[in-house]
Amino acid sequence: MEKINGTLYSNQIYSNTGSREFTEKATEAAFLLGGIGTGNVSLGSRGDLRDWEIFNHPNKGLKLPNKFFSIWAKEMNQPSIAKVLEGKVPPPHSGSHGYYPNTAAGLPRMSSSALKGEYPIANVVFKDNDLPVDVELEAYTPFIPLNTEDSGIPCAILKYKVKNKSEMKTDVAIAGSLYNPVGGIEYDEFSNYQGLGGLNVNEVREEKDFKGLYMYSKKYDKNDLKYGNVALTTTNKNVTFKPVWLRGRWFDEMQEFWDDFSKDGKLNDLGYTTPSTDRKSVNSIDSVFYERQSDTGSLSIYETLNPQEEKEFLFLLTWYFPNRINGWSERHRVKEKGREITQNYYSKRFNSSWDVTKYIYENFDRLKTESFKFHHALFSSTLPNYVLEAISSNITVLRSPTCMWLKDGHFLGYEGCFDNWGCCDGNCTHVWGYAQTLAFLFPELERNMRKTEFLEELEEDGHMNFRAVKMFDSEWIFQEKKAPAAVDGQMGSIMRVYREWKISGDKEFLDNMWPHVKKALTFALVQWDTDGDLVLDGIQHNTYDIEFHGPNPLSHLFFLGALRAVEEMAKIENDLEMAEKCKNIFDLSRSRTDDMLWNGEYYIQKINDVDEVKYQHGEGCLSDQLLAQQIAHILGLGYLLPEEHVNKAIQSIFKYNFRDNFSNHVNCQRTYVMDDEKGLVLCSWPNGGRPKFPFIYSDEVWTGVEYQVATHLIYEGFVDEGLTIVKAIKERHDGIKRNPWNEVECGHHYARSMASWGLLLSLSGFNVDMGKKEISFNPVINKENFSSFWSTGTAWGTYHQEMDEITGEIIPEIKVLYGDLSGVKVKTSSKELTL
Amino acid sequence: MEKINGTLYSNQIYSNTGSREFTEKATEAAFLLGGIGTGNVSLGSRGDLRDWEIFNHPNKGLKLPNKFFSIWAKEMNQPSIAKVLEGKVPPPHSGSHGYYPNTAAGLPRMSSSALKGEYPIANVVFKDNDLPVDVELEAYTPFIPLNTEDSGIPCAILKYKVKNKSEMKTDVAIAGSLYNPVGGIEYDEFSNYQGLGGLNVNEVREEKDFKGLYMYSKKYDKNDLKYGNVALTTTNKNVTFKPVWLRGRWFDEMQEFWDDFSKDGKLNDLGYTTPSTDRKSVNSIDSVFYERQSDTGSLSIYETLNPQEEKEFLFLLTWYFPNRINGWSERHRVKEKGREITQNYYSKRFNSSWDVTKYIYENFDRLKTESFKFHHALFSSTLPNYVLEAISSNITVLRSPTCMWLKDGHFLGYEGCFDNWGCCDGNCTHVWGYAQTLAFLFPELERNMRKTEFLEELEEDGHMNFRAVKMFDSEWIFQEKKAPAAVDGQMGSIMRVYREWKISGDKEFLDNMWPHVKKALTFALVQWDTDGDLVLDGIQHNTYDIEFHGPNPLSHLFFLGALRAVEEMAKIENDLEMAEKCKNIFDLSRSRTDDMLWNGEYYIQKINDVDEVKYQHGEGCLSDQLLAQQIAHILGLGYLLPEEHVNKAIQSIFKYNFRDNFSNHVNCQRTYVMDDEKGLVLCSWPNGGRPKFPFIYSDEVWTGVEYQVATHLIYEGFVDEGLTIVKAIKERHDGIKRNPWNEVECGHHYARSMASWGLLLSLSGFNVDMGKKEISFNPVINKENFSSFWSTGTAWGTYHQEMDEITGEIIPEIKVLYGDLSGVKVKTSSKELTL
């Protein structure tokens, strides 16, 4: 196939060259640990724990003091060495007061570190010139598709694997230090810190098979927003504790800890028996001179290693902060007395972080085996490494602070995150409409989102509030008026009901949705087809936060997609009248739309004067013009507009909107791509006609749009072009410029980025219809030796096909690694089998 | 001379290899523009204006929106090109919402930039692959030693020199854009901005010789803390204006500006006639949808350049924010009604930024000539480039927000700055005691500090408050008690009175000080000599923010230095009894101290149990043990302790405390030096005896201490060792790790760093005694061809000496470039002459 333009990568584009490593210089690389709806702590490229987001809201940049691991080693007959078990602190070093002691920046540390993350598992390899041992950290939080609960445990498992490089017996200790964060923390301008609560207790606890530190506060009762606790434990046997660091002045606490640890790797308990002071006893933050109101605690694991021996030092960090505000934000929250606070889902299963700890140790092998099985299933794929990165890294969104999972079962998502709070409330239908990841990994949660939309937010007249806030007793108001419905969001939600049905085969779900789905579809004609010609021409609010006026491809393809989905669902619901009605409207609307909007290369917006109303696209080539078509492909709904036009239009999108250099790109909007980076802009005007003020994001680059276009290109046969876009995205996220596990748009961990799961679907040609009990595969690359992950609502596993070298026959193999697929027909290009 | 240790640099150490350049990657490089007591805006390595600190407090990181220069060029018969006149925006690019339009990050910009700063003048060279012109920016604020007023003008002069590279006539426009900052600004979490005040006016004004934008607010009266205005003007003739950017929604304003400017380099006035809306009319920051309450304005200079022609585009930025809180901080400020606010000194001379502008244009040539004369005098020196950097870059402190200059004449300095406020109030005597720069450049201001100390802060019993707060009706309280006197600060102030006399020959000043000086000295024996043996042994508060107990070299050398200074001053004051008394005490005290504290290599603290009281140094080798001796050398007071011991001790300090690698340095205190950097620690314990909790900064590295030790090493003949320290400091400040013009300790622009001026004094062997009307030079490096700057209280200029190649004779030459030195004797190694 001829290339669409000359900016493509070389042949390498099909091969898997292995996951990337991020050295300590990759300051932006931060791998999120933590479960669904639990919050997170991230693992940085230095092996540091950063961005403590365990307190029920985002917290990018939150540093806890004294929170580092350290290693002590003594090779027989040699002096001992102690270092912070982190890579070097990268520049700039330009803070107004240098680095404060609680950062441990002044202590010796490892010569280098390299983080490799294959979500959900991360590894950090540490090197050091002085130590007689090599150290590697393995970090993860259990992640098992379809097992939502066990993918939602508030914990981080940190296992250091230490290998004695020397020919001598070597004693090694690794200490984990953790500040008791209950009650919160503040830093003064100097960087002295002080607890905001007080009465904190760091307790040594021992169980039969594990022991560790349990950190809590005596100040808060169970219903307090600040109530909670953390635990740092181990199953290693030889452990010493310093449950409470020296309560000293100035920088004494760090001095005492380091002197103690670096002497012999063992820690002295200083014998404190009282909780930290209560906050109310001091007036101001002057913590160099007064009590700090919370304490750091440490535990040190000690092992003796024979020459060349490797041993494991296991640390399990768990947290428990069950209470959160009963709402999205100050604006949209329950204000009724006694109901201001709600709980995380995990509080239904656990009573404390110690409880969480017990559960994990009791189920350790299973949780680990199944998590690693998923990891292996995904990463043993023959898909290109950057594609695997794109697919896997955005799973992060589901387990980031972008999402919450409440005890009443609601799974909720912001669009993304500010540094310190969720950004843009309400399961936003048009943004989440691009996402595929959740539907294919935790379909139960995805169905919950449909229920929220259709059972809670759909009004009597079929108007669906595209932001769901009613569960918090609120209404969605925008600029002091009731917000309009969003055409792409509402029609997309209809299509997604069909998706959820196909993935799950859950007839009860479909039956429940059905009357509401019909109502939501009917609304489109009432609301947006002002002249009854079955072409949407009204004022159409959409994902660009503005309204398109008049007929336009984005809106209209969604309308067509929804018609097709409803037609299919009507057949299942045996509502043949509705099915036929949809088909009739679809046929008419489709041909009128094509006539009206096709310009020979792509679809345009039909508007007399593109400058009469601001923020239109007019003659522009919109990257999202075929979004609904891409979704229709995933759902097996066929072409919504003539195939040759769709095929030509997706080519035009790549041709006109993909840029291999942004140095001279003029963008007066928000900037996500710069300089010599590559990316796909949201819109361009190859034939002129750019409005004076085009829609407000038209010159921007969004990974969610890039992924859906890439997926679509692959579906239409333009595999190289699709992969080119994906490779460009991951190159931009190189750990130095941006975090590989955080694709930003209107906020961190942006939901739209979960469109990347479409790459797995399109490249493997995977189709699922659990209603019909059928799945199928049709890989489009590496056909002679192809492996990839697949998932349905009941099972997941791997698909492999290989060409028999002699016969040339393609031999497929499917493995079910989790769940049950019995009775399901599997179709491949060469065979059909029933499991 | 044998090297003290093996960590020295090569022979290169004596040569001047030119000032460093900082490319756009040097994110930390920020060259302060602005005068004494005026606040600053900094020039970044991208040619960007950053850190807007013009509002009477530090403001590191404050960004103003839309504040960029941009260039448009049209080579005849070619399409026009428009770019932001800044280097590329360096990574990371990981903000939660990308870059917002008001950063202009999405616009085309120059291929590269390189900043070279030779304080007070900076140059930025811009390169671009597309533009037909080369562009260079010259930026400065008038700086004329001894002319304090003209070194204290609130302005930045920005001259772009544009050269037409092409063989065709080329039209060029440069636009300067500035946000009206009056009233303040806030950003929401998205990065939308909004004025905090309102009723802002951007006015086009034309005078006979210049024109420009005058930006003010109708909201504040003259006495309001927020009252003020800014002006951006030019003397170029062909100018267009857009005084007020489009008051639109979303990102309209940037779109309209850029479309307008990039079309033809000329700007359209949009015709607004009303001020911006008043803040009170909106409730919340929702500035995408409402008014922003302040406006950006731009002016564009247009010139036509013949092939290869160069033209200048001059912009003058002036500001006027006269009012500031009448105090150091919330804690130490005048609370009396009606006196809560005071004014900057510059408000005595000017009524507005327009007034400032007029003054500058009226005196433009003189201000420029004399500023450039100083620059040339300093940088045409044969001193090594890194020494010149060390000397010049810390002049910055005087013109940074670390200092204020009030209308009542008080010149006041914090120790340094937090990002947003001064850090550590009160002309702190012990920190400022290391500084030499002010005394030699603006001796009038330095004398003002002595007056504050001796006339305002010296109590009846001779206790000098080491932080001056009485001018603000306040008392210095520390941990709820009256703060102790500081031995190093108080004795140092006494020595500095003698310095001010020697620099100025101002007898009236000395007469005024004299009775207070005696009182301050006497206090030392009463307060700190508990057993009457003339050795200070009490509880001695000092610059390490703790108290030394018992005899110790830091305190005691200061006592000896003060005795010598008072002896000399007594002679001048004809108080022979006092002179003799001082001499007697000095002799006794000196020999007892030497007996008691000398350990064969250096001086130690005499204390029975170094762990009985925390924060001592005991047997440690303290880098500051000879600080007062270094000052005594500068003042020509001779040896305070036996020369051979002093000489040996300074060697020991370098030997034990200079490190050429910090990777394994253990520092539980604050960290200013890391990894493979070099530096001098404050203390070490080569013979053991390190206290469990040594004094709280003992493992840190402070540039102020490094400079005084380097200066002292040079005085004692260890030139290579001294220069090694200096080179190490400037290498650490490489623009990527740290700002070359901001040496941080307990805050930015830390006063102690002004010890670096001592390098000029010691390397040139410069001595001044205006009392005797004598100055002398005795260079210690590059003697065959030596040039350097010198200054006294009445004049400044250059000293040059050269070896006659035939006779081998050293031929000295002194140039007076400013002021009057008539009647002053100049001594050099070869000649003596009277000017």
Side-chain angles (χ1 to χ4, degrees), chain B residues 469-488:
Chain B
V469 299
K470 287 192 197 292
M471 76 286 278
F472 298 130
D473 298 356
S474 193
E475 292 292 329
W476 185 255
I477 302 295
F478 186 67
Q479 295 186 247
E480 292 160 28
K481 288 182 294 206
K482 177 179 170 65
V487 60
D488 47 354

Side-chain angles (χ1 to χ4, degrees), chain A residues 28 93-94 252 614 737 747, chain B residues 28 93-94 96 252 614 737:
Chain A
E28 307 311 297
H93 308 307
S94 50
D252 296 354
K614 276 186 191 169
K737 295 189 286 193
Chain B
E28 307 311 297
H93 308 307
S94 51
S96 68
D252 296 355
K614 275 186 192 170
K737 294 188 287 193

Side-chain angles (χ1 to χ4, degrees), chain A residues 28 83 93-94 96-97 99 106 130 252 290 423 480 614-615 664-665 667 670-671 675 737 744 747-748, chain B residues 28 83 88 93-94 96-97 99 106 130 252 290 423 480 614-615 664-665 667 671 737 744 747-748:
Chain A
E28 307 311 297
K83 302 214 167 192
H93 308 307
S94 50
S96 68
H97 289 67
Y99 290 98
D130 306 317
D252 296 354
Y290 299 99
C423 176
E480 292 162 26
K614 276 186 191 169
Y615 312 137
N664 285 322
H665 179 62
N667 174 11
R670 300 170 307 179
T671 301
D675 304 333
K737 295 189 286 193
V744 159
H748 299 290
Chain B
E28 307 311 297
K83 301 214 168 193
K88 305 279 187 205
H93 308 307
S94 51
S96 68
H97 290 67
Y99 290 98
D130 306 318
D252 296 355
Y290 299 99
C423 176
E480 292 160 28
K614 275 186 192 170
Y615 312 137
N664 284 323
H665 179 61
N667 174 11
T671 301
K737 294 188 287 193
V744 159
H748 299 290

Side-chain angles (χ1 to χ4, degrees), chain B residues 117-136:
Chain B
E118 295 182 340
Y119 200 83
I121 297 167
N123 279 276
V124 181
V125 174
F126 300 96
K127 296 282 176 202
D128 191 71
N129 304 329
D130 306 318
L131 284 173
V133 294
D134 279 337
V135 187
E136 189 176 335

Side-chain angles (χ1 to χ4, degrees), chain A residues 573-614:
Chain A
E573 289 291 329
N574 216 13
D575 187 344
L576 299 183
E577 189 187 343
M578 186 65 183
E580 192 174 333
K581 191 173 159 198
C582 286
K583 181 159 187 351
N584 291 339
I585 297 175
F586 176 84
D587 288 344
L588 276 169
S589 181
R590 166 192 165 112
S591 81
R592 285 177 191 162
T593 305
D594 192 61
D595 290 349
M596 203 180 284
L597 305 184
W598 181 246
N599 81 347
E601 285 192 297
Y602 55 86
Y603 292 97
I604 58 168
Q605 179 189 17
K606 205 75 189 177
I607 187 166
N608 286 334
D609 176 2
V610 79
D611 284 322
E612 192 187 335
V613 190
K614 276 186 191 169

Side-chain angles (χ1 to χ4, degrees), chain A residues 410 451-459 465 468 470-471:
Chain A
H410 269 108
K451 289 176 189 163
T452 301
E453 290 156 4
F454 287 92
L455 306 182
E456 300 178 14
E457 294 289 347
L458 194 75
E459 305 198 347
N465 299 297
K470 288 192 195 290
M471 75 286 278

